[in-house]
Amino acid sequence: MTSETIPDAPLLVARLDTDLITAQAIADHIAERFGLEDIAVSLSDTGGGRWQVAIHFRGEAERVRRAVAAAAGAEAAAALQFGSVQAADWVRESLAGLQPVEAGRFIVHGAHDRARVPFNRIGIEIEAALAFGTGHHGTTRGCLLALDAIFKARRRRKLVSRHPEVRAKRASKDARPGPSPQPKSDKAISAVEVPSRQQPTWLGRAARGHLRVTDNMRILDVGTGSGVLAIAAARALHAPVLATDIDAFALKTARSNAQHNRAGNLLSVVWADGVGARAIRAHAPYDLIFANILLRPLKRIATPLRGLAAPGGRIVLSGILPSQANAVIAAYRPLALQRRLDIDGWTTLVLVRTRRC
């Protein structure tokens, strides 16, 4: 929020039961209007096509009511229910209902579930806090599943390139007639597959820390929030990640989470509004870019973000509704759609910059 926010003011919550379109419109508008240092919006599916919007904030309730009215009308603003909650109680209540979230090889969990992570999975420990990204949202899970698929494809390519016998077996297998293998179904996920240097200076001596750089990929995470996607990419790919956000609290949270998850030496977390910051341009082009934000900012940064992708690079976009996917795809042309995932009412798109772009 602005300087009108009182740092020591009590934490308040405004709740509204509504439909998904209205809930997303409110979240979108608040993300655009507020600096988010003392405000967080969560959307919860309550069943039957209804969603609950929960806005945790400090400051004047009337400012939140005006924002909801601007996004969804006076009737929605009048239906808001306000209450107060201690920050510690909110975190405790949030954690009580949160179970570990599995997305491919990744498991996002709280400290209370640390012992439940299998040894062959990548556990990412993120506590509930005033920063988006505990893995329970469909957009975060979609991005993690997209990252998991990218990791698997990259590992297969490395294996083939290093071992001639694998290349021979794959060539023999590809030459056999017969139907193509069908992907495994997942009732919760609708996925569509579409056919198709030098290390950054910020690493410095820190690269001798917990994780060793073994890949020359460059990765960008726009609107990092809690840092969960940046941490997942760094830990899976062992490559440097530049993570950005406009919110000072999110930046602090992401840095803390990166260190806690032994990925701090591979992450540089910086403030940036959009993608025109010098720190972003200095390390372009990127082999992998995440932008899990919302429709309007995704469309606004489309042109410069396309230019940041390396030939063959992928851009993973989320924070959009299924009905908005075509508009985003159009905004990012001539990038080609490689994959689409629809999870819990949200869509994640994987776009690739072909060599011809």
Side-chain angles (χ1 to χ4, degrees):
M1 287 187 175
T2 66
S3 58
E4 297 178 30
T5 299
I6 303 173
D8 296 327
L11 183 68
L12 305 176
V13 60
R15 292 189 172 90
L16 175 68
D17 181 64
T18 185
D19 58 86
L20 177 59
I21 299 296
T22 302
Q24 202 272 347
I26 292 171
D28 191 344
H29 183 76
I30 288 179
E32 291 280 320
R33 178 167 177 173
F34 295 99
L36 305 183
E37 185 169 348
D38 285 297
I39 192 166
V41 183
S42 64
L43 307 182
S44 303
D45 186 354
T46 57
R50 304 298 293 176
W51 287 70
Q52 184 182 85
V53 182
I55 307 170
H56 289 83
F57 66 98
R58 288 185 172 89
E60 298 177 6
E62 190 57 33
R63 297 184 68 219
V64 173
R65 192 184 296 277
R66 289 197 300 267
V68 171
E75 186 176 345
L80 282 172
Q81 297 182 347
F82 290 88
S84 61
V85 59
Q86 294 297 320
D89 291 340
W90 175 53
V91 171
R92 192 180 304 112
E93 290 171 8
S94 299
L95 286 173
L98 292 182
Q99 297 298 317
V101 172
E102 298 188 25
R105 72 193 57 250
F106 304 105
I107 297 182
V108 185
H109 62 92
H112 57 300
D113 285 313
R114 186 182 303 155
R116 298 172 60 181
V117 179
F119 73 92
N120 60 343
R121 307 290 284 279
I122 297 178
I124 304 173
E125 190 170 303
I126 305 290
E127 296 293 6
L130 287 174
F132 177 82
T134 60
H136 292 76
H137 200 276
T139 60
T140 307
R141 186 161 177 248
C143 289
L144 287 172
L145 287 169
L147 172 61
D148 184 60
I150 290 168
F151 171 81
K152 288 177 180 177
R154 192 170 182 86
R155 187 173 63 177
R156 283 194 298 267
R157 287 196 299 270
K158 284 185 174 181
L159 181 64
V160 170
S161 65
R162 290 174 182 173
H163 301 282
E165 65 276 13
V166 176
R167 286 200 301 270
K169 287 182 180 179
R170 175 157 294 185
S172 175
K173 182 178 180 180
D174 292 343
R176 296 174 189 170
S180 301
Q182 297 298 315
K184 295 180 180 179
S185 61
D186 189 330
K187 294 180 180 179
I189 302 171
S190 171
V192 179
E193 293 285 355
V194 182
S196 332
R197 36 177 132 75
Q198 182 180 4
Q199 294 295 349
T201 55
W202 75 68
L203 288 174
R205 296 179 181 177
R208 302 170 188 170
H210 294 157
L211 286 181
R212 184 167 56 91
V213 178
T214 59
D215 201 310
N216 60 2
M217 288 183 71
R218 291 190 178 190
I219 304 170
L220 173 65
D221 181 19
V222 179
T224 194
S226 67
V228 61
L229 297 178
I231 293 167
R235 293 196 59 186
L237 298 168
H238 289 253
V241 182
L242 177 62
T244 73
D245 209 292
I246 61 172
D247 174 29
F249 186 86
L251 296 175
K252 180 180 178 181
T253 301
R255 291 189 186 103
S256 175
N257 285 334
Q259 292 293 336
H260 186 67
N261 284 275
R262 305 184 309 280
N265 60 297
L266 288 181
L267 263 66
S268 177
V269 183
V270 301
W271 185 94
D273 185 1
V275 294
R278 182 181 300 177
I280 296 176
R281 298 195 312 270
H283 299 290
Y286 296 91
D287 303 284
L288 178 59
I289 299 174
F290 294 100
N292 181 14
I293 41 181
L294 293 166
L295 176 64
R296 280 187 284 181
L298 280 177
K299 292 174 69 175
R300 186 175 64 244
I301 66 174
T303 299
L305 195 62
R306 288 197 311 262
L308 292 173
R314 285 159 176 76
I315 300 182
V316 180
L317 305 175
S318 199
I320 56 178
L321 301 175
S323 61
Q324 300 169 338
N326 287 339
V328 174
I329 293 170
Y332 281 80
R333 286 177 182 149
L335 300 186
L337 176 64
Q338 184 181 59
R339 193 182 191 200
R340 169 175 172 162
L341 299 99
D342 293 303
I343 304 175
D344 297 336
W346 297 90
T347 294
T348 299
L349 303 173
V350 181
L351 306 176
V352 60
R353 181 180 179 184
T354 64
R355 305 292 173 177
R356 297 187 299 272
C357 290

